[in-house]
Amino acid sequence: MSNPLQELPLLPRFDQLHPEQVAPAIDAHLAACRAVLERGLAEEQPGWDSTLAPLEEAQDRLSRAFSPASHLNSVLSGDWRAPYEAALAKITAYWTELGHNRALYEVYRDIEKDPGFSDWPQARRKTIELGLRDFRLGGVGLEGAERERFAANSRRLAELSSTFANNVLDATSAWTYQTDDEGELAGLPDTALAAARAAAEGREQSGWLITLDGPSYLAVMTHADNRALRQRVHEAFVSRASDLGPDAGRFDNTPVMSEILSLRAQQAQLLGMGNYAELSLASKMAESSDEVLEFLHNLARRARPAAQREFTELQAFAGETLGLEKLQPWDIAWAAEKLKHERYAVSQEALRPYFPYPRVLAGMFAVVERLYGVTVQTDPAVPVWHKDVQFFWLLRNGEKFAGFYLDPFARDKKRGGAWMDTVTTRRQGSAGLQLPLAYLVCNFSQPTADRPSLLTHNEVTTLFHEFGHGLHHMLTQVDVGPVAGINGVAWDAVELPSQFLENWCWEPEAIAMISGHYETGEPLPVALLEKMLAAKNFQSAMFTVRQLEFALFDFRLHCLAEGASPQQIQALLDEVRAEVAVVPVSPLNRFQNSFSHIFAGGYAAGYYSYKWAEVLSADAFSLFEENGIFDAKTGQHFLHTILEQGGSRDALELFTAFRGRAPEIDALLRNSGIES
């Protein structure tokens, strides 16, 4: 029987994929990688063409086979979990084994030492440079027991990362609150009530069902007048995957975190580093832990006084207008929405009817066409994994050069949040030029029988953010896989293109393209637009210190030389909150237990990257502010200097090529409404 994961057409055959196909396909591709490596190293003169290029091609096929399995585990879970985890263990072992291959390392080193190396194409030189770095970080210099320990740690860390993510997903899916009393849901907008009704029907229950999926949770916290309901939902959410709350101990990530931190610290020590933060920074723009901490503390010093003023105003409003003597954690979003409406007469719900998902999507594509001269075209013939998913081609002058899948709506057993991931990478191989393909995933409210999914403006910016990542991957002109698209890009710069594209969500000329009433097509009224823009920086300082809380907690946690016990983790988070936070926290809050970015994603000792890259994106956008937001020359300049270059050059070099100077923080502070 044929196996699409072994045959590997450019577009995965999602209509023919089954979990039992994963193991034989991954085994076959791993065997092929090892055979290609053995042949390449046996060559009389191992080098780029004889050794590295064939190996990279075999590894690309491995990646293309694993990509659908990994993706389906995230968006469907269920039967895909076990084969994904088994494959992940084998692939982790392979990469660890490769990182310890001295003979292969010497091929890279001999290439770098060759007198003609400086004349090589830039992308190939960068690939060798990054390869040598990764060998060092992968433990190629270790011997004997230390090498074995490093390899065992790597395998175990992959397992623990998957376990952490599974616990968060299962904890999120396990908790629901059903009610037949619509009065309990007073204040919820019609869109949220319809979604709660649909959720109940989907599980064959009566009435309305509240879940911990993003749209449902946020609707309750922002709009439910029932304070007891807000508390119930908030406590269930903030205690997910912990030893507290309604599912205490059932999906507990507490021991998982400690083991992850201990193993990361061990890996750093084995490589001769003081802590995991040093190991993390070896592949980032920031040059030292001191530089990162100073950056975060500097931003905190500027933002916290404004954040404290914002919270004091909210407390006063809650007491005088809402009758809340003391703001509890489950009151903050609700009270803030009331204050925002009183001050600006605007709310996310008032904006929803003007941001129907189909209109936003078409408008976003039109924005990108004006900026970069590319068009987007749907292709309903491409097989997908769920009826909600669409596939699109990117075209330039009528020619397809990239594509992406878009999975926009929340559903049961789908990982929360929003993300972009790779299907294929642009690369020149033996069969010709391979086109880059991406997954874009969001968790917006489902459409109903009588209306499309209506987005909040926050969700509009989320869609633009993820498409910005996708464009970075798809618009690359680099054809050497390891540095094409997002590959090889410093992690603290990878958010630049995504945050950069969000700026157009706040520009009236672009808003006219992405908005229109879902029933009449009527444009967003000028008065409502002006209120939305006036409210742009409402509580932006409070949001900033919240992000700084996450970033400082993450970075300081990974600066610890020996990892941390559960008690130390909590103590450090409490300490960071005392330094920068301004809002109260529930006693049941175990935020760390669901902090997937750092325990199950790529942001360990790197969450600061969001703010670091925000400096870059705000400063980059300031050139458009000077020249016009749709200035074709500036758009092409950004395309050629940033998006097309991938990881072929250092991020600071690319930014400087675009902006003509090093990045400055002023634009971020100005755009956030925080005085410099």
Side-chain angles (χ1 to χ4, degrees):
M1 181 180 287
S2 67
N3 185 338
L5 296 179
Q6 287 179 254
E7 296 157 4
L8 294 179
L10 178 69
L11 297 165
R13 296 292 310 189
F14 283 108
D15 55 339
Q16 298 176 12
L17 292 184
H18 304 286
E20 60 270 18
Q21 296 166 337
V22 177
I26 296 302
D27 288 346
H29 289 299
L30 284 170
C33 288
R34 291 185 169 102
V36 169
L37 174 61
E38 187 176 344
R39 286 196 301 272
L41 293 176
E43 290 281 342
E44 187 174 337
Q45 286 189 312
W48 181 277
D49 293 325
S50 60
T51 310
L52 302 191
L55 179 61
E56 189 273 327
E57 183 153 310
Q59 290 172 171
D60 179 73
R61 291 179 63 80
L62 171 64
S63 174
R64 287 173 56 199
F66 184 57
S67 168
S70 173
H71 178 70
L72 292 174
N73 177 58
S74 294
V75 296
L76 296 179
S77 192
D79 294 340
W80 289 94
R81 180 177 293 182
Y84 158 76
E85 290 179 345
L88 177 64
K90 294 174 184 176
I91 291 170
T92 301
Y94 168 76
W95 284 111
T96 303
E97 169 191 314
L98 198 75
H100 291 166
N101 191 308
R102 287 284 181 83
L104 182 61
Y105 169 65
E106 286 167 8
V107 174
Y108 277 80
R109 196 171 56 180
D110 289 345
I111 288 173
E112 186 192 38
K113 290 178 178 178
D114 188 282
F117 180 66
S118 60
D119 297 326
W120 276 36
Q122 172 63 29
R124 289 192 180 188
R125 279 190 286 124
K126 192 65 175 178
T127 297
I128 296 300
E129 175 191 325
L130 296 180
L132 287 167
R133 179 201 71 189
D134 292 344
F135 269 113
R136 290 190 288 271
L137 299 182
V140 72
L142 300 177
E143 299 281 2
E146 288 190 339
R147 174 182 290 206
E148 289 304 314
R149 185 173 159 209
F150 191 94
N153 285 358
S154 296
R155 291 192 295 270
R156 181 60 179 154
L157 280 166
E159 292 173 8
L160 290 166
S161 175
S162 183
T163 298
F164 189 96
N166 289 341
N167 283 341
V168 175
L169 176 62
D170 292 343
T172 302
S173 299
W175 188 93
T176 61
Y177 177 69
Q178 186 276 339
T179 180
D180 290 316
D181 180 5
E182 188 174 2
E184 276 198 88
L185 307 179
L188 286 189
D190 291 343
T191 52
L193 287 171
R197 173 74 83 179
E201 291 172 353
R203 300 198 189 193
E204 299 183 343
Q205 297 182 25
S206 62
W208 296 265
L209 193 70
I210 302 300
T211 73
L212 297 182
D213 289 332
S216 179
Y217 170 74
L218 290 172
V220 171
M221 299 317 301
T222 309
H223 301 289
D225 295 329
N226 184 334
R227 196 183 193 192
L229 176 65
R230 293 201 307 270
Q231 181 176 356
R232 180 194 292 263
V233 176
H234 176 82
E235 290 182 341
F237 188 84
V238 301
S239 62
R240 286 175 303 157
S242 79
D243 56 340
L244 299 176
D247 282 321
R250 189 174 168 201
F251 308 104
D252 191 4
N253 269 330
T254 303
V256 181
M257 290 185 295
S258 289
E259 189 175 355
I260 286 174
L261 293 170
S262 174
L263 291 174
R264 285 175 179 167
Q266 289 178 34
Q267 298 297 74
Q269 289 169 5
L270 287 167
L271 295 176
M273 299 180 185
N275 53 55
Y276 187 81
E278 290 182 23
L279 175 53
S280 174
L281 291 183
S283 57
K284 292 182 171 65
M285 274 181 76
E287 295 184 357
S288 69
S289 295
D290 287 345
E291 183 181 8
V292 172
L293 290 169
E294 174 54 30
F295 167 73
L296 295 174
H297 287 304
N298 178 38
L299 203 47
R301 282 192 296 270
R302 295 174 182 234
R304 194 175 190 276
Q308 187 62 63
R309 287 195 299 272
E310 290 173 354
F311 186 65
T312 300
E313 290 171 359
L314 185 64
Q315 283 181 307
F317 171 77
E320 295 163 8
T321 307
L322 303 178
L324 295 179
E325 185 176 335
K326 182 179 180 183
L327 271 181
Q328 297 292 350
W330 45 88
D331 298 323
I332 292 168
W334 179 77
E337 186 71 6
K338 300 286 188 189
L339 174 58
K340 184 178 180 182
H341 192 270
E342 179 177 273
R343 185 173 293 176
Y344 302 104
V346 68
S347 70
Q348 291 288 329
E349 288 306 311
L351 295 168
R352 262 192 208 271
Y354 293 95
F355 291 108
Y357 169 73
R359 178 64 178 261
V360 174
L361 192 64
M364 180 176 72
F365 295 160
V367 166
V368 168
E369 182 173 3
R370 288 187 64 179
L371 284 173
Y372 308 128
V374 301
T375 56
V376 184
Q377 184 180 94
T378 186
D379 189 344
V382 173
V384 294
W385 56 90
H386 190 276
K387 63 180 178 59
D388 293 340
V389 179
Q390 289 179 280
F391 180 84
F392 299 89
W393 290 108
L394 288 187
L395 299 90
R396 185 180 285 114
N397 300 322
E399 183 177 347
K400 298 172 183 174
F401 67 89
F404 63 98
Y405 298 87
L406 181 51
D407 186 347
F409 306 127
R411 59 178 176 268
D412 193 29
K413 297 298 181 183
K414 178 181 174 183
R415 199 178 97 200
W419 68 92
M420 170 264 165
D421 205 352
T422 61
V423 187
T424 60
T425 296
R426 178 185 162 102
R427 57 181 300 280
Q428 188 70 45
S430 59
L433 183 65
Q434 178 173 283
L435 301 186
L437 304 173
Y439 305 109
L440 303 181
V441 185
C442 298
N443 272 281
F444 304 140
S445 298
Q446 286 274 353
T448 62
D450 58 350
R451 64 184 167 204
S453 175
L454 303 178
L455 307 188
T456 65
H457 189 257
N458 290 340
E459 290 173 329
V460 172
T461 61
T462 294
L463 182 62
F464 271 67
H465 180 101
E466 299 309 331
F467 196 44
H469 278 309
L471 291 173
H472 196 193
H473 176 66
M474 294 184 288
L475 294 180
T476 186
Q477 289 297 296
V478 177
D479 57 11
V480 179
V483 291
I486 61 172
N487 293 341
V489 178
W491 201 259
D492 44 7
V494 81
E495 296 292 335
L496 163 58
S498 53
Q499 294 177 340
F500 169 78
L501 196 62
E502 290 182 35
N503 287 289
W504 275 262
C505 300
W506 293 100
E507 293 296 325
E509 190 178 352
I511 290 170
M513 299 163 66
I514 62 176
S515 63
H517 196 281
Y518 77 98
E519 290 177 317
T520 65
E522 170 196 355
L524 186 66
V526 173
L528 196 54
L529 171 63
E530 290 175 349
K531 292 170 184 174
M532 185 184 95
L533 296 177
K536 176 187 177 185
N537 289 322
F538 175 70
Q539 295 187 343
S540 64
M542 283 173 60
F543 175 78
T544 296
V545 297
R546 179 80 165 139
Q547 291 297 101
L548 292 172
E549 174 190 323
F550 298 165
L552 279 166
F553 167 64
D554 161 49
F555 202 80
R556 288 184 56 188
L557 192 62
H558 287 100
C559 282
L560 299 175
E562 304 295 335
S565 68
Q567 294 75 23
Q568 289 172 317
I569 294 171
Q570 185 63 55
L572 179 59
L573 182 53
D574 293 342
E575 188 178 319
V576 169
R577 283 174 173 156
E579 179 187 349
V580 300
V582 298
V583 300
V585 176
S586 165
L588 293 182
N589 189 300
R590 288 295 180 268
F591 158 75
Q592 62 269 34
N593 288 57
S594 59
F595 197 3
S596 295
H597 276 78
I598 71 168
F599 290 113
Y603 285 87
Y607 197 86
Y608 77 88
S609 301
Y610 282 103
K611 280 299 172 191
W612 185 276
E614 208 174 328
V615 171
L616 304 179
S617 66
D619 200 3
F621 183 68
S622 66
L623 189 58
F624 284 84
E625 292 178 305
E626 294 169 14
N627 297 337
I629 67 160
F630 284 116
D631 180 66
K633 185 178 179 181
T634 310
Q636 289 298 304
H637 185 41
F638 188 80
L639 172 67
H640 297 324
T641 54
I642 304 289
L643 297 177
E644 290 183 348
Q645 299 299 319
S648 65
R649 296 182 184 274
D650 288 341
L652 182 58
E653 179 185 346
L654 295 180
F655 181 90
T656 305
F658 172 71
R659 203 62 185 87
R661 55 166 172 74
E664 297 173 355
I665 199 172
D666 297 26
L668 171 62
L669 296 170
R670 183 181 72 251
N671 289 354
S672 300
I674 301 171
E675 295 181 10
S676 61

